Amino acid sequence: MACEWSVGDRVRHAARPEWGEGVVAKITPAVVAGTRTHRLSIRFARAGLKQIAASVGALEPADGPAGSPPGRSTEVARAASGGIKPELSDDALLEQLRCLPASVTDAGLPLPDRVEAA
C-alpha cells in the first residue's frame, strides 16, 4: 500500500479547482469501501483543511506550467506567461485580491455565480 503522495507535496483537486492549490500536511492509513488506502490532510489555499482519501480523491500534482518559477502560484505563473501582464507587484496584487467581495471569493457559491459577480 505505497502512497504516491508525501507530506509537503503541492496538489490540486481536479473536481474542485476553486479550492486552489493545496499542500499535503498529514498522511494516515485508512480503509475506504473495503480497500486499504491513505487519508490525506490537505490545506487548500481557498478551502482550508480537507481530509481526502487518496484512492477516491481526484488529486493531481500542482506543478506550475513549464518554466514557471518555483514557489509562484499556477495562476500567477499562467498570467505572467499568457498575455495578462499585471502592473502590480505580487504583494500589491495579492492585497487587491484580498479585498474582493464575498460574492466573488466564497468557495461555497457555484463557480458561474462567482464569475458573474466578478
Side-chain angles (χ1 to χ4, degrees):
M1 174 180 71
C3 186
E4 63 181 287
W5 303 107
S6 300
V7 172
D9 283 351
R10 292 182 9 205
V11 299
R12 274 190 301 258
H13 194 293
R16 299 286 185 177
E18 67 271 15
W19 289 358
E21 290 185 3
V23 177
V24 177
K26 183 178 176 183
I27 302 172
T28 55
V31 176
V32 175
T35 304
R36 290 175 34 167
T37 185
H38 289 93
R39 183 169 315 280
L40 307 176
S41 296
I42 303 172
R43 183 160 309 278
F44 286 95
R46 294 184 293 255
L49 188 65
K50 300 288 183 184
Q51 305 287 320
I52 299 173
S55 63
V56 182
L59 298 173
E60 56 189 28
D63 298 327
S68 66
R72 295 184 79 189
S73 73
T74 303
E75 293 85 1
V76 172
R78 188 178 303 126
S81 66
I84 301 172
K85 307 230 182 326
E87 296 177 15
L88 303 171
S89 69
D90 286 348
D91 291 334
L93 184 59
L94 286 173
E95 185 57 37
Q96 285 196 351
L97 290 173
R98 285 186 193 103
C99 297
L100 291 173
S103 60
V104 175
T105 60
D106 184 355
L109 294 175
L111 185 58
D113 291 351
R114 289 184 293 155
V115 170
E116 185 175 327

